[in-house]
Amino acid sequence: MVRVLALGLAALILVPAGAFAHGPTRQKVTEAVEINAPPEKVWEVIGNFQDMSWHPAVAKQEGKGGNAVDATRLLTLKSGGTIAEKLIKYDKDKKLYKYEITDVDVKVLPVKNYSSMLSVKGDGGKSTVEWRGAFYRGYMLNDPPPELNDEAARKAVTGVYRGGLDALKEKLETGG
Amino acid sequence: MVAGGGAFAGGHPAVSEAFVTNQTDDTLSIVELATLTVAKTLEIGGKPAGLAMSADGTLAFVTAPEGKELVVIDAATRQIAKRIKVGEGPLGVAAHPTNGRVYVADWYAHRVFVVDPVAGAIVAQITVGNSPSGVAVTPDGRLVLTADRDSNAVSFIDAAANQRIGGVTVGERPFGITIDAAGARAYTANVGSDDVSVIDIASRKVVATVPVGRRPYAVALAAGRAFVTNQFGDSVSVIDLANSKVLKTIDVGDHPEGIEADPAGAFVYVACWFDNVLQRIDAAKLTITGEATVGDGPRAFGLFLR
């Protein structure tokens, strides 16, 4: 018993501090939707970093810095959790912006080191909106619990993107 | 460049291929540089990341962090020659110019494994700082340097004694490390502080710190300039080494990571992790002049040209 306990302690001590920083493999998710609306019209809805009201999971938003690089926003979700984000890149001509998550509880979104890009392409009356993310799973050591593994991270991010993109399409195609 | 063909007797052989580790789909793409097409795809497994070439260019060394392996590839036949179990999380890798050994930085075990790739044996282990990522060998083969990411430092290892002999504090979270052809300076890309540390190797001092784009990953050297991949910036910062200032920022693909210049300094090749391409930058014009589509999630972390 004593020996077992001692071994357990040794194992704990041997867990390297650096492993908490980043170690597993970075994951990627890309989701897209085609919308029967001109890209300019789509960008009007989603092109403001300070306005995520088009996403059905977002209850409330506050932020500062507008659409300038390093602008911040804090999203409060309808489920109650919050996500703090920072703008990395904003290009209104190319109709894209890129941002990172600066703070989120893994219970809200099971990811670490998350960055993402939202973009609109198209011409005439048709647009394609693409949302892509790069991130690590929520648990940075080996042998993650199922709710914090690579698959759980990809599934959660895919759900966020799908929910947003499908709602956007409906809003733009039915709401004029 | 240095740890690749740099010390080859009689000067630099021209490079004709890039070996690109595709982490997401567990493969290696061998790209012919003349045509920018994939000539062969090898199944590696274990989420391949790091890459190095033997001094004579006949062997390629690939780290598989999740497989905990160093995979040795016969470059001519394009076949896997050997799989060697190494540590807990092998990441960065570099080949010695003369003694045939390979240095593998282990992210979890906080040490460098010295591997004899022909015998398939670990011949020494050297404790360094926390989570060493990049590793490079000086052209004279005397020193091995590691970027110890979670110690914000670079370790200096005596290659003859297999001992850590010192270190220097650099920017936050150094990831890639590159040594120049003269063996005078080393450059780290500091992911945390968004800059590059320039280290004078003889005095083991940081002589310049150059701000670059967001989340820099690795550095290539060509024609008196440093080319730095910015993962979040989707760009390559070009630093004039004469005055340590950024002279241009080139837009490249999404999440650029591994980067290396050809020995002549004419072209710089960069792997873009999200876009699954290897892009070619003209080092004089500072523009992208071509790209090859590779596997999913290319990292090409290290010296990947032969």
Side-chain angles (χ1 to χ4, degrees), chain A residues 14-30 69-70 86-89 94 98-101 113-115 117 132-137 140-142 150, chain B residues 23-24 46-47 65-66 68 88 91 107-110 130-131 149-150 173 175 214-215 217 231-235 251-252 254-255 257 272-276 295-299:
Chain A
L14 282 173
V15 170
F20 293 100
H22 134 38
T25 307
R26 194 200 286 129
Q27 307 293 309
K28 57 166 92 166
V29 162
T30 304
V69 169
D70 291 337
K86 186 157 96 170
L87 193 59
I88 296 171
K89 185 185 213 171
K94 287 184 182 163
K98 194 162 185 174
Y99 65 98
E100 66 184 293
I101 290 179
N113 277 328
Y114 170 101
S115 69
M117 185 163 77
R132 52 163 69 177
F135 49 87
Y136 292 85
R137 69 181 182 226
M140 301 305 264
L141 299 176
N142 284 330
D150 290 340
Chain B
Q23 189 164 53
T24 308
K47 301 298 167 194
E66 290 193 7
K68 302 175 185 178
E88 297 301 314
L91 185 59
W107 182 264
Y108 288 118
H110 311 300
N130 288 334
S131 294
R149 186 182 187 271
D150 292 351
R173 312 267 168 179
F175 197 79
R214 297 295 312 282
R215 302 276 177 111
Y217 184 87
Q231 294 173 88
F232 279 15
D234 304 339
S235 62
D251 285 335
V252 298
D254 196 349
H255 273 76
E257 300 209 328
C272 300
W273 175 81
F274 213 123
D275 285 340
N276 301 339
D296 193 3
R299 303 207 86 148

Side-chain angles (χ1 to χ4, degrees), chain B residues 4 39 79 82 92 112 145 159 166 172 189 208 214 254 256 264 267-268 273 278:
Chain B
Q79 302 287 334
K82 207 179 277 285
V112 169
L145 272 57
E172 292 170 30
R214 297 295 312 282
D254 196 349
F267 294 106
V268 177
W273 175 81
L278 180 74

Side-chain angles (χ1 to χ4, degrees), chain B residues 93 106 217:
Chain B
V93 57
D106 191 301
Y217 184 87

Side-chain angles (χ1 to χ4, degrees), chain B residues 43 60 76 106 148 230 246 253 263 266 286 300:
Chain B
E43 298 290 332
D106 191 301
D148 303 338
N230 304 308
V246 172
L286 303 181

Side-chain angles (χ1 to χ4, degrees), chain A residues 35-47 120 127 129 168 172:
Chain A
I35 297 177
N36 290 313
E40 295 75 21
K41 192 94 180 164
V42 178
W43 185 243
E44 265 178 40
V45 176
I46 65 167
V120 189
S127 300
V129 180
L168 179 68
L172 279 156

Side-chain angles (χ1 to χ4, degrees), chain B residues 25-295:
Chain B
D25 70 10
D26 277 332
T27 64
L28 176 88
S29 298
I30 300 177
V31 178
E32 284 179 354
L33 298 179
T35 55
L36 286 175
T37 53
V38 174
K40 172 108 186 197
T41 302
L42 284 175
E43 298 290 332
I44 303 293
K47 301 298 167 194
L51 216 140
M53 295 288 173
S54 65
D56 63 5
T58 59
L59 298 176
F61 307 107
V62 175
T63 59
E66 290 193 7
K68 302 175 185 178
E69 285 182 329
L70 179 71
V71 182
V72 183
I73 292 157
D74 182 318
T77 64
R78 296 171 174 167
Q79 302 287 334
I80 291 173
K82 207 179 277 285
R83 290 177 178 272
I84 305 166
K85 281 287 173 195
V86 177
E88 297 301 314
L91 185 59
V93 57
H96 193 277
T98 54
N99 73 12
R101 286 175 180 172
V102 178
Y103 300 86
V104 180
D106 191 301
W107 182 264
Y108 288 118
H110 311 300
R111 64 188 69 172
V112 169
F113 289 91
V114 185
V115 180
D116 177 337
V118 177
I122 293 168
V123 296
Q125 301 183 28
I126 304 150
T127 299
V128 293
N130 288 334
S131 294
S133 47
V135 52
V137 187
T138 53
D140 64 8
R142 288 169 134 186
L143 295 171
V144 180
L145 272 57
T146 58
D148 303 338
R149 186 182 187 271
D150 292 351
S151 296
N152 300 331
V154 167
S155 285
F156 286 64
I157 294 163
D158 180 322
N162 285 329
Q163 276 191 340
R164 186 182 183 278
I165 55 170
V168 59
T169 298
V170 295
E172 292 170 30
R173 312 267 168 179
F175 197 79
I177 183 164
T178 303
I179 296 172
D180 66 15
R185 287 183 168 182
Y187 300 82
T188 60
N190 307 318
V191 179
S193 49
D194 294 340
D195 51 24
V196 168
S197 296
V198 184
I199 301 160
D200 179 77
I201 292 174
S203 66
R204 293 183 212 160
K205 286 198 163 74
V206 172
V207 293
T209 300
V210 187
V212 291
R214 297 295 312 282
R215 302 276 177 111
Y217 184 87
V219 182
L221 301 169
R225 292 163 174 171
F227 294 75
V228 186
T229 44
N230 304 308
Q231 294 173 88
F232 279 15
D234 304 339
S235 62
V236 168
S237 297
V238 185
I239 301 169
D240 182 346
L241 297 178
N243 61 13
S244 297
K245 286 196 161 57
V246 172
L247 63 93
K248 188 176 178 188
T249 301
I250 305 168
D251 285 335
V252 298
D254 196 349
H255 273 76
E257 300 209 328
I259 186 166
E260 188 184 351
D262 66 26
F267 294 106
V268 177
Y269 296 87
V270 54
C272 300
W273 175 81
F274 213 123
D275 285 340
N276 301 339
V277 291
L278 180 74
Q279 292 184 320
R280 184 183 63 203
I281 296 170
D282 184 314
K285 292 177 187 157
L286 303 181
T287 54
I288 294 171
T289 58
E291 69 178 36
T293 298
V294 293

